[in-house]
Amino acid sequence: MADRYIEVSLVKRDVTCRAKLLDDRAPITCAAVWDALPLAGDVYHAKYARNEIYALFPPFAETEPPLENPTVTPIPGDLCYFAFAGTELGTKSYGYDREVRAGTTLVDLALFYERNNLLLNADVGWVPGIVWGQIVEGLDSMAEACNDLWRSGAAGETLSFRRA
């Protein structure tokens, strides 16, 4: 299979980076994401994992991917996939502006932009993610925009994933 690439963007900030899909390490997850593209949603900056931005989406795979190529210590440039039951994200401490409730599932597509991340949540413990992509171009400018998002706020910003 030929290498596949996507573009990940912070739309309002007009910053885009390019990522290679890790089809050899997470083929089921890569296929699910690729088939669902383009995807875009409100961006959030992580509270617990540290140097992470992400967007939440309704489930888009026929069945949730298995935990392939897992990590709890993502490195700069990792793209990770998480699936959460609504009850895992339903407390007000997460700060979502929409109702997240039992019986729902949300997919979290995340971009890690700097070192020293740990996927440990005080509410539920370890939260392994599936590493399905790696940024190969534009990480420096994306990291700068992510730091600005952390300082200035995420309101009105969109995180976008599309085929390159």
Side-chain angles (χ1 to χ4, degrees), residues 6-18:
I6 64 167
E7 291 182 343
V8 182
S9 303
L10 286 170
V11 176
K12 184 176 171 184
R13 286 172 172 79
D14 194 28
V15 177
T16 298
C17 58
R18 182 177 168 96

Side-chain angles (χ1 to χ4, degrees), residues 91-120:
T91 65
K92 291 195 181 287
S93 67
Y94 291 101
Y96 300 121
D97 57 359
R98 58 181 150 165
E99 186 177 351
V100 181
R101 62 186 183 287
T104 63
T105 299
L106 291 173
V107 171
D108 170 333
L109 294 183
L111 180 156
F112 290 84
Y113 63 90
E114 188 48 80
R115 298 171 34 107
N116 299 322
N117 303 295
L118 187 61
L119 301 179
L120 180 60

Side-chain angles (χ1 to χ4, degrees), residues 30-150:
C30 288
V33 173
W34 184 261
D35 291 345
L37 295 177
L39 293 166
D42 292 340
V43 69
Y44 297 93
H45 196 287
K47 291 172 76 173
Y48 300 108
R50 194 163 176 176
N51 301 300
E52 171 196 6
I53 62 168
Y54 62 97
L56 300 173
F57 302 98
F60 47 77
E62 282 188 36
T63 58
E64 284 305 314
L67 191 57
E68 52 185 2
N69 199 31
T71 191
V72 293
T73 55
I75 62 172
D78 276 352
L79 299 179
C80 289
Y81 178 107
F82 305 89
F84 294 107
T87 54
E88 292 176 287
L89 301 179
T91 65
K92 291 195 181 287
S93 67
Y94 291 101
Y96 300 121
D97 57 359
R98 58 181 150 165
E99 186 177 351
V100 181
R101 62 186 183 287
T104 63
T105 299
L106 291 173
V107 171
D108 170 333
L109 294 183
L111 180 156
F112 290 84
Y113 63 90
E114 188 48 80
R115 298 171 34 107
N116 299 322
N117 303 295
L118 187 61
L119 301 179
L120 180 60
N121 179 303
D123 293 336
V124 297
W126 295 105
V127 183
I130 300 168
V131 182
W132 59 274
Q134 181 66 43
I135 296 174
V136 295
E137 294 174 23
L139 180 58
D140 289 344
S141 59
M142 181 59 76
E144 188 176 318
C146 292
N147 276 312
D148 178 66
L149 189 137
W150 172 249

